[in-house]
């Protein structure tokens, strides 16, 4: 419900004194607004030519509305929306626009107060109430107009870059897409695969909102690393980014990327990179990175940067084929006995040290040994034997990666 604004007194003296001084007050406010914008001093003299007459018009309209006992409406500000749209299309930051008009309004109000006399206190309070209401209307009008441009033009630009990235990752012709996106295709790229662990909200709407935010955070982080716009398909859950290959590599930056995103997301984040990949080899590199990053997740690896060389054995064991299927079948006799699966897992993690494994499970070493005997009886493989332990460790790796893998 809108708040009823106070009216000035009839023929308010401050009003009478302000009208003849309106032009110099507006000029001073405009100068202050430009000065409040960091980029303002570097702009050519005619850059704000459209702002001068519009500011004068709105200042007069502001006072007229007060005299009529009304406030500015959204319809009154239609010309401002057009002006803000042009600034947004010129990529003037929203912060600069808000700094400018707030800096100008501050001087506008200061000069009004300088015109005031002690007897104007009531009318000055009424003017202040109207000015606050106007600031609110200006803020929503400017923000809405700017966001509309971002969602249309900038949104199309981001989407065109995503489409370009996807085409490169599929090995499709991309010259026309690059021209549409305003991007140059590099000869080599660092391929970065990102995977966010579980932990999204349970509702579909919340899930979509969070994913968009995560995707935006990741895009900003990648652009900070690259120092430029980045081709990227990360959707808040998984995806691949292409950064023009760096001469010195980005290992530290990639480790920090995983850690910082995990801190913001509140879930584990896995990052895999392949460095300096020729553009023609991007599809194979991207597939490999996606497989490795998913393997890091299913194996319970921590947040961080992972590479194929860190998971060579696990990667090879989990490649599709008859050997992987046979490995998975070795554990079928004990899959429905959690205490035996737990004993086997703990034994492997502690390098076949039965005493340490039993202590972790808080059971007697003899009880732990009995469980190992049961594993041997059911699977036909002795976990305490060198060959048997390697075979069962491999089977466990396949089971973690593909828990439903059964004959």
């Amino acid at each position: 419900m809108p708040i009823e604004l106070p009216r000035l007194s009839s023929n308010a003296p401050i009003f009478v004194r302000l009208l003849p001084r309106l032009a110099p007050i507006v000029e001073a406010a405009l100068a202050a607004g430009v000065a409040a914008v960091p980029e303002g001093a570097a702009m050519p003299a005619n850059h704000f030519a459209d702002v001068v007459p519009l500011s004068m018009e709105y200042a007069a309209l502001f006072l007229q509305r007060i005299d009529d006992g009304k406030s500015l409406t959204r319809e009154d500000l239609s010309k401002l929306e057009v002006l803000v749209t042009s600034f947004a299309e010129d990529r003037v930051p929203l912060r600069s626009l808000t700094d400018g008009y707030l800096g100008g309004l501050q001087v506008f109000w200061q000069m009004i107060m300088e015109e005031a006399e002690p007897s104007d206190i009531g009318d000055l309070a009424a003017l202040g109430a109207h000015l606050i209401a106007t600031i609110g209307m200006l803020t929503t009008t400017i923000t809405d107009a700017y966001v509309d441009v971002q969602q249309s033009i900038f949104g199309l630009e981001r989407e065109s870059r995503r489409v370009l990235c996807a085409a490169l990752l599929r090995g499709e012709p991309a010259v026309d897409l690059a021209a549409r996106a305003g991007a140059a295709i590099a000869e080599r790229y660092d391929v970065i695969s990102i995977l966010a662990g579980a932990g999204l909200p349970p509702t579909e709407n919340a899930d979509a909102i969070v994913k968009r935010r995560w995707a935006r955070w990741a895009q900003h982080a990648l652009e900070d690393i690259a120092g430029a716009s980045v081709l990227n398909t990360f959707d808040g859950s998984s995806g691949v980014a292409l950064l023009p290959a760096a001469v010195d590599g980005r290992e530290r930056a990639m480790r920090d990327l995983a850690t910082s995103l995990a801190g913001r997301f509140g879930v584990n984040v896995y990052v895999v990179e392949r460095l300096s990949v020729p553009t023609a080899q991007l599809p194979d590199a991207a597939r490999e990175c996606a497989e490795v990053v998913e393997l890091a997740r299913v194996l319970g690896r921590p947040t961080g940067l992972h590479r194929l060389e860190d998971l060579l054995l696990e990667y090879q064991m989990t490649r599709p084929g008859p050997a992987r299927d046979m490995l998975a079948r070795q554990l079928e006799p004990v899959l429905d006995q959690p205490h035996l699966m737990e004993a086997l897992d703990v034994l492997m993690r502690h390098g076949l040290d039965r005493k340490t494994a039993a202590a972790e499970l808080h059971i007697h070493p003899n009880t732990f040994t009995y469980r190992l005997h049961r594993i041997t009886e059911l699977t036909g493989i002795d976990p305490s034997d060198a060959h048997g332990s390697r075979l069962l460790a491999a089977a466990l790796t396949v089971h973690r990666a593909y828990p439903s893998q059964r004959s």
Side-chain angles (χ1 to χ4, degrees):
M1 181 177 179
I3 298 174
E4 185 176 348
L5 296 173
R7 299 195 63 153
L8 274 70
S9 61
S10 178
N11 298 318
I14 190 172
F15 211 82
V16 175
R17 291 195 300 274
L18 279 176
L19 288 177
R21 294 259 304 136
L22 188 58
I25 289 175
V26 171
E27 290 173 2
L30 272 174
V34 173
V37 178
E39 301 89 347
M43 298 293 186
N46 64 347
H47 189 79
F48 300 100
D50 294 338
V51 181
V52 177
L54 191 61
S55 299
M56 189 68 69
E57 178 182 335
Y58 280 142
L61 185 59
F62 168 69
L63 295 178
Q64 182 62 53
R65 287 285 185 265
I66 294 174
D67 193 41
D68 295 340
K70 300 175 183 178
S71 59
L72 288 176
T73 65
R74 189 66 176 259
E75 290 72 25
D76 291 329
L77 299 176
S78 58
K79 292 182 181 178
L80 177 64
E81 290 181 317
V82 174
L83 183 63
V84 170
T85 296
S86 68
F87 280 136
E89 290 172 345
D90 291 341
R91 308 298 179 91
V92 176
L94 179 58
R95 172 192 53 77
S96 295
L97 296 181
T98 54
D99 285 351
Y101 88 80
L102 289 174
L105 285 173
Q106 184 176 3
V107 170
F108 183 72
W109 177 244
Q110 181 180 338
M111 295 187 73
I112 288 176
M113 289 192 297
E114 290 173 357
E115 294 291 328
E117 297 179 358
S119 59
D120 295 322
I121 187 66
D123 290 328
L124 196 62
L127 273 170
H130 280 270
L131 186 60
I132 290 172
T134 300
I135 290 173
M137 182 61 68
L138 286 171
T139 301
T140 55
T141 300
I142 290 173
T143 303
D144 287 349
Y146 196 95
V147 169
D148 283 346
V149 174
Q150 274 201 320
Q151 291 179 338
S152 58
I153 297 178
F154 297 169
L156 287 173
E157 180 180 291
R158 285 192 294 268
E159 178 61 16
S160 65
R161 287 179 172 272
R162 188 198 67 78
V163 171
L164 171 59
C165 185
L168 289 171
L169 295 176
R170 290 192 298 266
E172 298 174 353
V175 174
D176 290 344
L177 292 174
R180 213 168 297 150
I185 299 177
E187 293 184 2
R188 291 175 174 270
Y189 285 97
D190 291 343
V191 180
I192 314 299
S193 184
I194 305 172
L195 178 63
L200 292 175
T203 65
E204 185 175 339
N205 287 341
D207 179 57
I209 292 171
V210 170
K211 279 187 175 180
R212 284 195 294 270
R213 177 175 293 178
W214 289 7
R216 188 174 70 252
W217 286 345
Q219 180 72 23
H220 291 165
L222 289 164
E223 289 175 351
D224 286 343
I225 292 171
S229 295
V230 171
L231 302 180
N232 174 29
T233 65
F234 181 71
D235 60 5
S237 187
S238 63
V240 174
L242 299 178
L243 281 65
V247 176
D248 300 325
R250 299 185 173 98
E251 180 176 345
R252 176 63 182 273
M254 289 301 112
R255 293 187 187 281
D256 291 345
L257 173 68
T259 302
S260 64
L261 290 182
R264 298 198 75 176
F265 294 178
V267 299
N268 282 333
V269 173
Y270 309 91
V271 174
V272 169
E273 67 174 358
R274 272 281 303 276
L275 302 178
S276 195
V277 178
T279 302
Q281 298 175 20
L282 288 176
D284 290 339
R287 278 193 294 272
E288 179 188 290
C289 286
E291 291 170 349
V292 174
V293 80
E294 173 63 16
L295 185 60
R297 184 190 68 81
V298 298
L299 293 179
R301 296 300 173 92
T303 282
L305 173 65
H306 303 274
R307 292 199 182 91
L308 176 59
E309 49 265 41
D310 302 325
L311 296 163
L312 277 177
L313 185 60
E314 295 86 350
Y315 182 82
Q316 191 58 42
M317 286 188 299
T318 54
R319 292 309 84 206
R324 187 187 74 181
D325 298 341
M326 291 181 68
L327 276 173
R329 286 196 289 271
Q330 305 308 306
L331 291 178
E332 285 187 351
V334 294
L335 287 179
D336 59 352
Q337 301 193 47
H339 65 296
L340 298 184
M341 288 291 293
E342 181 183 45
L344 183 59
D345 178 62
V346 173
L347 180 69
M348 298 305 165
R349 284 195 288 105
H350 288 292
L352 306 184
D353 184 338
R354 297 190 187 191
K355 185 176 181 181
T356 304
E360 180 177 322
L361 296 178
H362 304 291
I363 60 176
H364 194 278
N366 290 343
T367 303
F368 188 79
T369 298
Y370 171 76
R371 292 183 183 182
L372 298 184
H373 287 323
R374 285 293 295 154
I375 293 172
T376 302
E377 291 173 359
L378 293 171
T379 65
I381 305 171
D382 183 0
S384 62
D385 172 73
H387 173 73
S389 65
R390 289 196 297 271
L391 187 59
L392 289 172
L396 269 177
T397 297
V398 173
H399 174 69
R400 291 193 194 102
Y402 304 96
S404 62
Q405 185 79 26
R406 304 186 70 136
S407 60

